[in-house]
Amino acid sequence: MSSPSSAGVLQTHQSIKNNAILIRDEIYGEELIHEPVLIELLQSPEVQRLQGICQHGVTGFLGLTPRVTRLEHSVGALILVRRVGATIEEQVAALLHDISHTTLSHVIDHALSKPGEGSYHEVHKTRYLEMTRLPDILTRHGINQKVFEEELFPLVEMPSPQLCADRLDYALRDAVSFGKLAMEDARRVVSLLKAFPSATATRRLLALDDPHVALVLSRAYIATDKGVWSSPAHIDMYQRTGRVIRELVEAGSVDDKVLWQVSDAEFWTLLRQSANPEQLHAIKRLEEEGIPEDNGLRLPHCAKIRTLDPDIWQGGEKQPAPLSIVLPTWGSEREQYILSRSQNQ
């Protein structure tokens, strides 16, 4: 039995006898993984790479925000679908849904994405997968390659503002880490999570069975959006970091393939080594000045305004309904939040 290794802020992994991995997560508790395909994927360099990538890019790497990692988030999404009884394919899809994320996460969108494009890691997913052994691992275990298309798996991905494992895990992990949601409330959310009508139905979805708990979660979600995900100050740091990266890539000083080959720390060292004096000055400002004040900063027009409207399943065969229908006051509160944020763009 090995010693536990840190996967991020709220999670550790430990290899134990009989070729199993014990996940200890502060939100979800313990989860024992024993399926051979999941074990091989969890131990692969491609998945382990995510431990060195911060969810919050430059602010996480510089220690200005909690260092939540892509690895703990990906494993968290796996645990959520596993807890509601998902198939092994859906579990693999959950684990791999962020596999093509680059170093510094969404900072690279500000550096290299073209106007109107989706996230850089999604646009270039096929290119990244061709560099890896992941398709071979799946083939060896008889897993269909469609698991790389997470949007085919409703428990993993659903359009905003619906609940899905990806959205729920980062909501819980970030809201707890940033002090927007109490740990006991996060654990309560997980205990009330259900798959409707079942985890294997074609038209399946995640739902909560208590509207008041769902309301606590949804309010914490928009609080985290306002203070973190769509904070003009955080986005300003992403944009300034992105400008340096773009200049270095366009000048040929940094090969974009390295975005999938190194950790945040290694990439930051590469940036410093490759930068000209002006770029190095910009990097030092990011390191020394930290997150700026929000005063006077406006939300970019391209910024997402994130809200949550979880489906509520109150038992029986009745179809779940969005929280905004079950509690109309939430519908009004959510719309008011969207309006107020839009006016700042």
Side-chain angles (χ1 to χ4, degrees):
M1 182 182 297
S2 67
S3 298
S5 61
S6 173
V9 174
L10 298 174
Q11 191 182 96
T12 63
H13 298 178
Q14 183 176 20
S15 295
I16 60 175
K17 61 183 181 180
N18 300 322
N19 198 29
I21 295 177
L22 179 63
I23 311 295
R24 291 187 178 93
D25 192 282
E26 291 189 33
I27 300 173
Y28 307 138
E30 294 187 352
E31 190 73 25
L32 186 63
I33 307 294
H34 54 81
E35 294 85 348
V37 63
L38 294 177
I39 296 294
E40 186 167 358
L41 287 171
L42 281 166
Q43 293 176 338
S44 69
E46 291 86 352
V47 170
Q48 285 299 307
R49 177 184 73 90
L50 301 178
Q51 194 275 340
I53 299 175
C54 293
Q55 285 275 97
H56 301 288
V58 63
T59 61
F61 166 68
L62 292 177
L64 304 171
T65 58
R67 293 192 179 190
V68 180
T69 71
R70 288 282 159 195
L71 177 58
E72 66 178 303
H73 164 59
S74 297
V75 173
L78 159 65
I79 292 172
L80 285 174
V81 300
R82 188 178 176 87
R83 291 276 174 92
V84 298
T87 64
I88 189 64
E89 282 194 340
E90 192 137 19
Q91 292 181 49
V92 171
L95 177 61
L96 298 181
H97 80 276
D98 267 354
I99 197 64
S100 58
H101 251 295
T102 62
T103 182
L104 293 181
S105 291
H106 288 291
V107 168
I108 302 303
D109 297 347
H110 295 274
L112 301 177
S113 290
K114 296 179 174 64
E117 268 191 342
S119 293
Y120 189 87
H121 76 285
E122 293 290 354
V123 173
H124 294 271
K125 178 181 278 189
T126 299
R127 178 186 171 206
Y128 167 70
L129 289 173
E130 289 172 351
M131 306 177 194
T132 75
R133 301 181 305 113
L134 293 173
D136 293 337
I137 293 175
L138 297 185
T139 298
R140 187 161 56 252
H141 291 277
I143 301 294
N144 194 304
Q145 305 286 319
K146 70 180 182 180
V147 296
F148 292 124
E149 303 175 61
E150 65 268 19
E151 65 276 6
L152 299 179
F153 296 87
L155 300 182
V156 179
E157 290 292 348
M158 288 288 276
S160 178
Q162 284 185 275
L163 213 53
C164 61
D166 175 19
R167 189 166 293 115
L168 180 56
D169 181 81
Y170 78 66
L172 294 173
R173 206 164 292 281
D174 286 358
V176 167
S177 297
F178 284 90
K180 309 296 185 183
L181 182 69
M183 180 65 80
E184 62 185 32
D185 289 328
R187 291 170 177 164
R188 179 72 172 149
V189 168
V190 176
S191 73
L192 297 173
L193 191 66
K194 305 286 188 298
F196 177 88
S198 73
T200 56
T202 301
R203 296 174 63 86
R204 57 194 180 276
L205 55 81
L206 290 181
L208 296 171
D209 62 10
D210 186 325
H212 301 290
V213 171
L215 181 62
V216 170
L217 169 65
S218 300
R219 284 176 170 163
Y221 191 91
I222 63 172
T224 311
D225 181 63
K226 184 176 182 179
V228 183
W229 304 322
S230 71
S231 159
H234 288 240
I235 293 172
D236 176 74
M237 289 199 72
Y238 278 43
Q239 290 175 327
R240 288 189 285 141
T241 308
R243 278 196 291 272
V244 172
I245 296 169
R246 181 171 60 253
E247 290 171 3
L248 290 170
V249 170
E250 289 177 349
S253 302
V254 171
D255 187 339
D256 66 349
K257 287 183 181 178
V258 82
L259 298 172
W260 292 288
Q261 296 170 345
V262 297
S263 66
D264 289 351
E266 293 166 331
F267 186 65
W268 199 259
T269 298
L270 177 62
L271 289 181
R272 288 180 126 272
Q273 292 171 343
S274 305
N276 62 32
E278 183 180 346
Q279 292 160 344
L280 186 58
H281 176 68
I283 291 171
K284 288 180 177 178
R285 282 192 61 197
L286 290 163
E287 293 171 337
E288 295 168 4
E289 296 177 8
I291 301 172
E293 295 294 326
D294 263 353
N295 299 339
L297 293 174
R298 296 193 67 81
L299 197 59
H301 287 287
C302 61
K304 290 181 182 177
I305 299 171
R306 303 178 193 233
T307 64
L308 199 59
D309 197 12
D311 285 295
I312 308 301
W313 180 25
Q314 297 181 300
E317 297 181 4
K318 190 175 180 181
Q319 189 75 16
L323 179 63
S324 58
I325 300 299
V326 176
L327 294 178
T329 52
W330 170 243
S332 301
E333 189 175 329
R334 176 176 168 267
E335 288 301 323
Q336 183 56 45
Y337 175 72
I338 294 171
L339 178 62
S340 68
R341 300 298 283 162
S342 300
Q343 290 173 341
N344 191 40
Q345 285 183 309

